[in-house]
Structures are given as C-alpha cells and as structure tokens.
Amino acid sequence: MEEKQPTLDLAIRDLFKEIPQGFLKALTNKQATKFITISLTDVDIRPDFVVELEDTNILHVEFQSFNDQSMPFRMLIYKALLKSKFKDKTISQVVLYIGEEKLRMANSIEDDGLKFWYKLVDVRDIPCQYLMESENLADKILACLCDVKDPRNYLIRIFTELSKLPDHDRKRYEKLLKSLLKKRKLLIQTFIKLQEESAMPISFTWEEIVSDPFFKKGLEEGKLEEAREALLEDIETKYDKIPEGIKDKVEKINDIQKLKELRKSVIKSNSLDEVIDLFKNI
C-alpha cells in the first residue's frame, strides 16, 4: 500500500529534525548543536522545534500556515513552560509564517505588569539563494517556501540533486518536497511547464499532486483565505481602518458565499457603524 503523503506541517517538522543550519542561521544568526525532543506538560504540549544553540541557549520555533490571532498567547505558554525546564538558559522564540496570504499576526502582548514578545518571520523574506548554497539538503528543500526569484532554475537544481540520491532517500525527499510545493502556486505552475518539457528527472507527476486529498483541502483553504483577505481589504480601503474585533470574526467564517455577500454589503455601506452592524451576529 502506498505510504500517505505528509501534511505541510509534518513535512516541515521532518526536515527541521535534520537541523537545517542555513535556515536556522537566517533566523537567529547562530548554529544549532543539538535537537531536543520535549513534552512540556502532563497533557503533552509539544513545541514544533526546539534546539540547543552553539552558545548553549535554547531556540524554540513554531511553524504557522495561517493567521492565528491567539498565537501570542500560545507562545507565552510555551515560553513559561520552556523556562521552567531550562531555568538557567535564555529562551529565544520564533514563529515562522509559511502561509500564502498576507501576514497579519501580532507578535507581542502588553498587559498590566506583562510585556512579552517574540520574533515573527515571514518565510518569504528569507532569500532562497542563501539556502541553496547550503550543504544541507533539508535547507535546499525548505528554500521552496522562501523568496524564489527563479522558479525554473530552483526546480531543475533541486530535482537534479534528488535524482542522484539512493532510491529510498530520493523517494522520501521527493515526498517532503511535494508537501511543500502545494503551498507555492508559482512553483506549481512552473513544475507543470517543466514536466511538459520533460526538463526534470522526477518520479512523480502533476496528477499525483492534484489528486492528493491534502492538496484539495489546501486549495479550499486557500480560496477561503483569499476571500477573507479581500473582505478585510475592502473595509480598510473604504474606511482607512478595520474596527476592533472584525479581523477575528472574519477569520472564523468558513463559507465563501457568506464572505462574498459581506463584501457586497461593505461596498454598499455608508458608514463604519454599518459595517460593524454587519458582523454583530457573527
């Protein structure tokens, strides 16, 4: 029976277990020395990625594929639990955003007696070429999520390199790369053209990608995110701001038709109060 395709999050976790030094240096300007497998509480709260850095301090990274407004609170919980495990260490935290829609998350909390923040990085701000010069294959595969200036060159280089691996390793890395490619529309379009030209030494086809249930689910989620983004942009364009609480309500809407109807209502509205009224029962 064919092995299941890993989800995007699982594929990235798998690649990060190989400690992609180039990627980590782009995030922290430091090298990692040891991967740490850790469960933080009795209810099995597991951070995505924790390593010991060359200065013996701790780096914690969470991978986030959509805008989650509760992220600062989750990171605060992780920080407290990690600090309780590593009391004499400095804990650095990064949220690595790998989504396609515009990054709209906060990275701090300020409350009475509390100031907390962490580093928030959009993976597309990391230069692809920097990772392609790494000796670590995980770095080169993760580069597809970054700012790929030349998709054609990237795909030919990475698949050529994978073709030189032993069969078992090649299939494993191709499977991980497939999971990541599904998040990058431009690379997918280039992939199709190269496949038609027979310009790449690959062992899977475009049809295999689109028939994958995770890909279909990703397409649906992508359409929803685009509709949410369009609605928020309409509000901000018309009234120069988005009222408090509206973003959270928009993120909860999972019906594309409902989002389209709200867009029409926003366009027809005459005041910000009318827009607020549209969301009262959501």
Side-chain angles (χ1 to χ4, degrees):
M1 187 173 66
E2 186 180 353
E3 192 175 347
K4 283 187 176 181
Q5 178 79 18
T7 63
L8 176 66
D9 286 352
L10 288 177
I12 291 175
R13 290 179 196 177
D14 198 353
L15 288 165
F16 262 75
K17 284 179 182 177
E18 298 184 21
I19 308 186
Q21 297 287 9
F23 211 101
L24 294 176
K25 197 167 182 66
L27 293 178
T28 68
N29 204 32
K30 294 178 182 177
Q31 296 285 298
T33 57
K34 182 171 65 178
F35 179 76
I36 300 173
T37 302
I38 185 170
S39 176
L40 293 177
T41 71
D42 292 338
V43 293
D44 196 25
I45 296 176
R46 290 184 182 273
D48 285 343
F49 180 75
V50 179
V51 289
E52 182 179 284
L53 298 172
E54 57 189 347
D55 59 6
T56 75
N57 287 316
I58 303 299
L59 170 67
H60 163 222
V61 182
E62 288 295 307
F63 313 117
Q64 191 61 30
S65 59
F66 63 95
N67 286 292
D68 184 352
Q69 302 310 318
S70 68
M71 202 70 208
F73 301 98
R74 286 172 52 196
M75 293 300 286
L76 178 59
I77 292 170
Y78 280 129
K79 182 68 172 273
L81 293 172
L82 282 166
K83 193 64 180 176
S84 72
K85 290 274 187 180
F86 303 101
K87 295 180 176 63
D88 59 342
K89 306 277 188 181
T90 297
I91 312 293
S92 299
Q93 291 182 293
V94 178
V95 169
L96 183 63
Y97 179 67
I98 56 177
E100 283 197 277
E101 67 274 13
K102 184 179 178 181
L103 174 57
R104 299 194 311 270
M105 286 187 292
N107 68 329
S108 63
I109 300 173
E110 288 196 25
D111 202 354
D112 186 27
L114 171 66
K115 276 193 175 183
F116 169 72
W117 73 277
Y118 52 87
K119 192 173 182 180
L120 179 59
V121 177
D122 189 327
V123 71
R124 288 165 294 195
D125 291 336
I126 299 175
C128 165
Q129 189 58 35
Y130 169 79
L131 296 177
M132 288 302 290
E133 301 308 320
S134 171
E135 295 181 1
N136 189 312
L137 186 54
D139 275 326
K140 295 177 181 179
I141 293 174
L142 287 163
C144 79
L145 295 172
C146 301
D147 183 19
V148 181
K149 299 294 188 186
D150 187 345
R152 181 184 178 87
N153 180 58
Y154 169 77
L155 289 170
I156 291 175
R157 283 183 64 184
I158 192 66
F159 279 110
T160 299
E161 186 157 342
L162 292 180
S163 71
K164 299 174 183 177
L165 296 175
D167 190 58
H168 178 271
D169 291 339
R170 176 182 54 76
K171 287 181 178 179
R172 173 176 172 265
Y173 282 115
E174 282 185 352
K175 189 172 294 184
L176 293 170
L177 181 57
K178 273 202 295 184
S179 296
L180 270 58
L181 283 177
K182 293 167 191 173
K183 271 290 181 182
R184 294 296 178 255
K185 293 176 183 177
L186 181 57
L187 284 174
I188 287 174
Q189 292 166 0
T190 307
F191 178 96
I192 297 170
K193 291 178 182 177
L194 288 171
Q195 187 188 21
E196 291 171 349
E197 298 169 13
S198 301
M200 291 189 300
I202 58 176
S203 63
F204 61 86
T205 65
W206 167 246
E207 287 73 21
E208 287 181 74
I209 292 182
V210 297
S211 64
D212 189 293
F214 289 117
F215 179 74
K216 292 177 181 177
K217 183 179 179 183
L219 281 179
E220 293 170 2
E221 291 175 351
K223 289 177 182 177
L224 269 174
E225 284 301 332
E226 287 176 3
R228 292 180 186 125
E229 184 75 27
L231 174 56
L232 290 170
E233 285 182 1
D234 284 345
I235 297 172
E236 191 167 17
T237 299
K238 187 160 186 174
Y239 295 107
D240 295 323
K241 68 175 184 177
I242 299 173
E244 185 177 352
I246 295 297
K247 283 185 180 180
D248 291 341
K249 291 187 175 184
V250 169
E251 290 293 336
K252 293 176 183 177
I253 300 173
N254 295 313
D255 184 337
I256 289 182
Q257 189 57 42
K258 177 67 174 175
L259 290 164
K260 288 180 178 178
E261 291 171 1
L262 283 167
R263 284 193 70 188
K264 291 178 182 177
S265 298
V266 166
I267 292 169
K268 293 177 182 177
S269 66
N270 296 309
S271 70
L272 203 52
D273 286 338
E274 284 187 29
V275 173
I276 293 172
D277 286 340
L278 292 173
F279 290 89
K280 274 190 175 178
N281 297 319
I282 296 175

